Amino acid sequence: MFIDQITITVKAGKGGDGTVAFRREKFVPLGGPAGGDGGRGGSIILKVDEGLRTLMDFRYHHIFKAKNGERGMNKGMTGRGAKDTIISVPPGTTVRDEKSGQLLADLVADQQAVVIAQGGRGGRGNIHFASPKNPAPEISENGEPGVERRVTLELKVLADVGLIGFPSVGKSTLLSVITSAKPKIGAYHFTTLVPNLGMVSLEDGRSFAVADMPGLIEGAANGVGLGIEFLRHIERTRVLLHLVDMSGTDEEDPFADFGKINDELAKYDPNLLKRPQIIVATKMDLPTSAEHLAEFKAKIAETDYRDSLILPISAVTHAGLKQLLQETADCLDATPAFPLYQDEEPVTEEATLYRFDPDQKPNFTIEQDETGAFVIHGEQVEKLYQMTDLQHDESLMRFARQLRGMGIDEALRAAGAKNGDLVQIDEFRFEFVD
């Protein structure tokens, strides 16, 4: 089964917790703090494997979790970091964040890799919090949470040339003749249900990849037939071979069919019409084809495609195929790659460690729930809570100072909070003390 779009859930590992510990050795009085840091959590990495051709592997396995880092140890020893989880994807895979729609990566080269969910850093042990005022602190940090997100993987076939045209115009037949591909060929519409890919090699040493695009008919943009679900695969192509059936066996007007296909391309993405099109007149071995071709040329001379190259061929007798391949290779040499994304660059969003900047106002909101408690929402605040070790009073006091420094105390007063009111951050509830 060919699968070219799927959504998966990825969750990076949490960093290991820091430790509160002290040196206790014979003949070493007042040994001081010795709690080590936690290990780094595992990240989720997508890596290209050129042996893959579809996203079939994700059909039944679409939740990926990396392991957490180990807790810090005594004597200042850092916990073991977790191994990264590497997920193999086929070349041509684009990655988008499902929630924001942000483009995270465009993976095209073999072994190309990108981190799509960063593992959390390990929490600091109490060895980092010693100071002249507090030489034996009972303060440590919990590990930073790993990034969790849902991402959409979309496969766009890596092809230089795309074959477009109505069903049964001879796309699959042409692909089978000029390449070693073995697509299913039949005398009925929608024989081809998935994109087929083949390589063309010329005598002069040049080569290029050709993809057959199925299911494109009038109304495809509105869901007719197979719809336009496979048109994403020609977004990477540089040259389009527009096949037009000149036989007239289906009593269709070749010129009308040509216009209908281009209309569907424009509805999907107007930028596709900027690609050079070579018009391929197919089935020229049939008796009425030459007459229909003459009428087609007369009509197209009055349109914007008047300067397009029109090449008559017959896949059965192989007439015109050599010239077609030579012209296609020449067109490819003269055509640079088209930008796949308009005004958008792939940017991998990695987890950011919490660093409070006094000049930057933290982003949080305060609202009251049905019980009257003041609930604080905000990524920075919630991450700060998750990294606080609630088992030690000194860590709680440090957490309170951090909240005060972020301006949460003043915001609670402005929201109407009074002494003794309940305040909630994530799953943690406490009383507001004014």
Side-chain angles (χ1 to χ4, degrees):
M1 182 178 294
F2 184 85
I3 295 179
D4 58 358
Q5 189 173 22
I6 202 156
T7 299
I8 63 173
T9 300
V10 294
K11 184 176 182 181
K14 171 182 173 293
D17 297 340
T19 299
V20 173
F22 298 92
R23 287 187 62 184
R24 291 182 174 86
E25 300 178 35
K26 193 175 183 180
F27 307 121
V28 184
L30 305 176
D37 301 343
R40 180 185 64 85
S43 299
I44 304 290
I45 299 175
L46 294 183
K47 189 174 183 179
V48 175
D49 181 353
E50 63 179 0
L52 299 177
R53 287 293 176 264
T54 78
L55 299 173
M56 179 66 184
D57 293 346
F58 298 97
R59 187 181 184 192
Y60 300 109
H61 184 194
H62 47 80
I63 299 178
F64 297 87
K65 295 182 180 180
K67 293 185 177 180
N68 299 332
E70 292 187 358
R71 185 180 182 87
M73 295 170 283
N74 201 351
K75 298 183 180 179
M77 292 187 292
T78 301
R80 185 189 300 273
K83 290 184 178 180
D84 296 330
T85 298
I86 300 177
I87 306 171
S88 297
V89 296
T93 301
T94 60
V95 188
R96 288 187 179 274
D97 184 89
E98 184 190 48
K99 185 177 181 180
S100 66
Q102 180 191 18
L103 178 66
L104 302 178
D106 184 17
L107 304 171
V108 294
D110 186 35
Q111 301 302 307
Q112 183 181 355
V114 64
V115 178
I116 59 169
Q118 183 74 33
R121 70 168 175 85
R124 293 178 293 174
N126 69 331
I127 196 172
H128 293 280
F129 297 97
S131 67
K133 291 184 178 180
N134 188 6
E138 292 188 1
I139 302 174
S140 67
E141 288 179 336
N142 290 337
E144 181 187 31
V147 173
E148 181 176 4
R149 59 168 28 134
R150 284 176 60 81
V151 296
T152 299
L153 307 181
E154 189 175 62
L155 176 62
K156 299 181 180 181
V157 169
L158 295 175
D160 303 303
V161 178
L163 303 182
I164 59 174
F166 266 72
S168 299
V169 297
K171 298 189 298 295
S172 296
T173 303
L174 176 61
L175 185 69
S176 68
V177 171
I178 63 176
T179 73
S180 298
K182 303 297 181 185
K184 182 179 180 181
I185 300 173
Y188 54 91
H189 281 0
F190 304 124
T191 307
T192 305
L193 298 177
V194 300
N196 292 303
L197 191 67
M199 287 296 299
V200 174
S201 297
L202 276 64
E203 295 178 355
D204 58 12
R206 291 183 294 179
S207 63
F208 53 87
V210 182
D212 168 18
M213 299 300 140
L216 188 58
I217 63 174
E218 184 181 11
N222 299 320
V224 178
L226 297 181
I228 55 176
E229 60 177 302
F230 295 123
L231 270 179
R232 69 174 65 93
H233 296 292
I234 67 173
E235 292 184 16
R236 298 187 189 275
T237 61
R238 287 183 286 155
V239 175
L240 298 178
L241 298 186
H242 194 149
L243 276 62
V244 183
D245 183 358
M246 294 295 171
S247 66
T249 54
D250 293 334
E251 298 183 357
E252 297 288 344
D253 181 2
F255 180 75
D257 289 349
F258 176 80
K260 291 173 184 176
I261 293 296
N262 281 328
D263 287 343
E264 296 303 322
L265 292 180
K267 290 177 183 178
Y268 177 78
D269 184 359
N271 292 309
L272 293 179
L273 296 182
K274 298 179 181 179
R275 288 161 170 71
Q277 284 192 26
I278 297 177
I279 302 173
V280 183
T282 64
K283 304 183 182 180
M284 293 303 298
D285 55 296
L286 298 179
T288 58
S289 297
E291 179 184 347
H292 291 146
L293 177 59
E295 295 175 359
F296 180 85
K297 288 181 176 179
K299 292 179 180 179
I300 205 170
E302 302 176 358
T303 69
D304 294 337
Y305 293 94
R306 64 178 68 90
D307 297 327
S308 298
L309 186 62
I310 303 177
L311 299 176
I313 69 162
S314 170
V316 176
T317 65
H318 292 194
L321 292 184
K322 185 174 182 179
Q323 182 186 2
L324 172 62
L325 298 183
Q326 290 288 345
E327 294 286 357
T328 302
D330 292 342
C331 189
L332 280 172
D333 292 341
T335 305
F338 287 84
L340 186 59
Y341 311 100
Q342 301 297 321
D343 302 324
E344 186 178 17
E345 290 293 333
V347 177
T348 301
E349 180 184 352
E350 296 184 350
T352 55
L353 304 181
Y354 174 73
R355 295 287 186 272
F356 176 63
D357 183 358
D359 298 327
Q360 181 181 4
K361 190 174 182 180
N363 184 19
F364 60 85
T365 60
I366 299 177
E367 59 183 23
Q368 277 189 286
D369 62 11
E370 62 277 2
T371 66
F374 292 86
V375 182
I376 302 174
H377 298 285
E379 183 179 356
Q380 290 183 351
V381 178
E382 292 173 0
K383 182 179 288 188
L384 189 63
Y385 156 69
Q386 292 168 355
M387 295 183 67
T388 299
D389 182 3
L390 303 181
Q391 296 181 357
H392 295 89
D393 291 341
E394 287 190 35
S395 293
L396 282 172
M397 294 300 294
R398 177 172 177 264
F399 180 51
R401 291 193 298 270
Q402 289 172 318
L403 294 181
R404 188 176 303 113
M406 295 173 68
I408 289 180
D409 284 13
E410 295 180 3
L412 285 170
R413 293 188 187 95
K418 298 180 181 178
N419 197 33
D421 286 346
L422 289 178
V423 179
Q424 180 171 336
I425 300 175
D426 200 2
E427 299 177 352
F428 181 52
R429 280 202 171 199
F430 57 94
E431 287 188 0
F432 178 68
V433 179
D434 196 356

